[in-house]
Amino acid sequence: MEAVILALGSINADFQVRIDKPAGSAGLALAHDFRRLGGGKAANVAFLARRLGRAARLFGRVGDDDLAAQALTPLREVGVDLSEVCRAGGQTGFAMVLVPRSGKKNIVVAANANDEWSDEEIGKVCHGIELAPAGSVLVCNCEIPARVVKAAAGCARRHGMHVVLDPTFPDRVDDELLAMADVITPNEEEAHQLAGAGAICDIARALAARGPRVVCIKLDGGGCLLLVGKQEQRVASVDVEVVDTTGAGDAFTGAFAVALLEGRAPPEAARFAVAASTAAVMAYGAQPSYPDRSAVMALMPGEEERSSR
């Protein structure tokens, strides 16, 4: 059977608008380009995997409201396996996304169904992971309760799967969970929240000391800092016009996981992930901006200089 990207975490309905002034600069602001989209970190990872031609199975929770269809329909249309998505009573998670002229979005999230998990449902997630084909990769985030992520990551590790952790929200990430991750993909702000102040290379080493074999920090200006063992490498992104950064970090994490599933080494996986996230900032919205494989390959950065410490 074909190996699968197993995406565990948040599933949201996104409500997105453009604004001409930074959020909070006025009591009332005029918005335009309103879109209703599917979103959520796990949903975005699964969507991106399908755009790259890989099988994807989504694990998560939606409500019993009309927003569930908004969140799930785009995923169903691209062929994501939704058999492990469960319904919670109440509301589907949603996000309000404000995109200023700079393209650097601001997001307010209501977790809703994403935070509603029973012990029985956690057991179903673990059972689903156990049945996944050999070589599958678990990609998870903490926009759901940490106990769900820990149970899933432990199960994946016992079955020899790579575990890729996007540590959002960082206040839900502890040393036990970090030790379960093969790869961690924080952005700069999350990395500092997890490991304190300091130079970004020192932050990466502090995180690696807590368990992950690979630390890949998404840099604010694009590109990433990769640390594998003592080998440090910076991967720069190709210069493009930034239209909207929404979902670019999820594209990075999803593409890195796809590269691991395909047997690529971390340096090549990082270059592939940088290219995917670069493509994602070139269009409006998260899932609608996600590239196919040919678009990713066209934006692949060259080899960067490496250093050991």
Side-chain angles (χ1 to χ4, degrees):
M1 293 178 65
E2 179 184 5
V4 179
I5 294 295
L6 306 172
L8 168 68
S10 56
I11 306 170
N12 293 333
D14 283 3
F15 294 80
Q16 182 159 333
V17 294
R18 280 203 174 278
I19 54 175
D20 294 326
K21 296 180 180 179
S25 63
L28 178 65
L30 184 65
H32 51 91
D33 291 346
F34 172 65
R35 303 279 181 89
R36 292 183 59 168
L37 304 167
K41 283 188 167 293
N44 289 347
V45 164
F47 190 100
L48 186 279
R50 290 299 302 137
R51 290 286 287 151
L52 296 177
R54 288 297 173 182
R57 186 173 303 152
L58 181 60
F59 294 80
R61 303 275 283 160
V62 295
D64 57 4
D65 56 358
D66 59 337
L67 296 184
Q70 178 179 329
L72 297 179
T73 297
L75 301 164
R76 187 175 292 111
E77 289 175 346
V78 296
V80 173
D81 181 347
L82 301 178
S83 60
E84 301 287 351
V85 175
C86 300
R87 295 269 180 168
Q91 295 178 313
T92 299
F94 78 89
M96 273 300 309
V97 186
L98 308 179
V99 184
R101 291 178 179 177
S102 68
K104 295 185 178 181
K105 87 292 185 182
N106 292 280
I107 303 179
V108 178
V109 176
N112 296 339
N114 291 309
D115 269 351
E116 300 297 325
W117 290 81
S118 67
D119 290 342
E120 180 181 0
E121 287 150 357
I122 296 173
K124 289 179 180 178
V125 169
C126 292
H127 182 64
I129 292 170
E130 291 170 358
L131 296 178
S136 296
V137 175
L138 176 66
V139 188
C140 44
N141 64 77
C142 286
E143 289 190 349
I144 61 173
R147 65 191 181 94
V148 185
V149 182
K150 289 178 181 179
C155 183
R157 291 293 295 270
R158 289 192 295 274
H159 286 77
M161 296 179 189
H162 287 302
V163 176
V164 179
L165 175 65
D166 181 342
T168 304
F169 301 106
D171 60 355
R172 295 183 175 185
V173 178
D174 58 17
D175 285 346
E176 180 185 4
L177 182 52
L178 284 174
M180 293 179 173
D182 296 291
V183 181
I184 184 171
T185 63
N187 59 33
E188 286 192 57
E189 181 181 354
E190 292 163 345
H192 283 293
Q193 289 183 50
L194 289 168
I200 200 67
C201 56
D202 294 332
I203 294 296
R205 287 192 288 273
L207 288 172
R210 293 163 68 184
R213 181 176 63 88
V214 177
V215 176
C216 199
I217 300 176
K218 298 170 283 193
L219 301 177
D220 290 344
C224 70
L225 174 72
L226 176 70
L227 182 67
V228 184
K230 294 184 178 180
Q231 191 86 55
E232 178 187 312
Q233 179 179 0
R234 286 181 182 259
V235 180
S237 58
V238 176
D239 286 336
V240 297
E241 180 183 357
V242 176
V243 175
D244 178 10
T245 60
T246 308
D250 303 336
F252 182 101
T253 301
F256 199 105
V258 166
L260 288 182
L261 181 144
E262 295 174 350
R264 304 188 193 203
E268 187 178 2
R271 292 172 59 233
F272 189 71
V274 165
S277 61
T278 300
V281 305
M282 296 169 65
Y284 189 55
Q287 293 173 11
S289 74
Y290 284 173
D292 60 17
R293 190 171 291 264
S294 63
V296 173
M297 298 307 293
L299 292 169
M300 283 277 281
E303 293 277 0
E304 298 292 315
E305 187 174 338
R306 305 176 191 180
S307 62
S308 298
R309 299 194 181 188

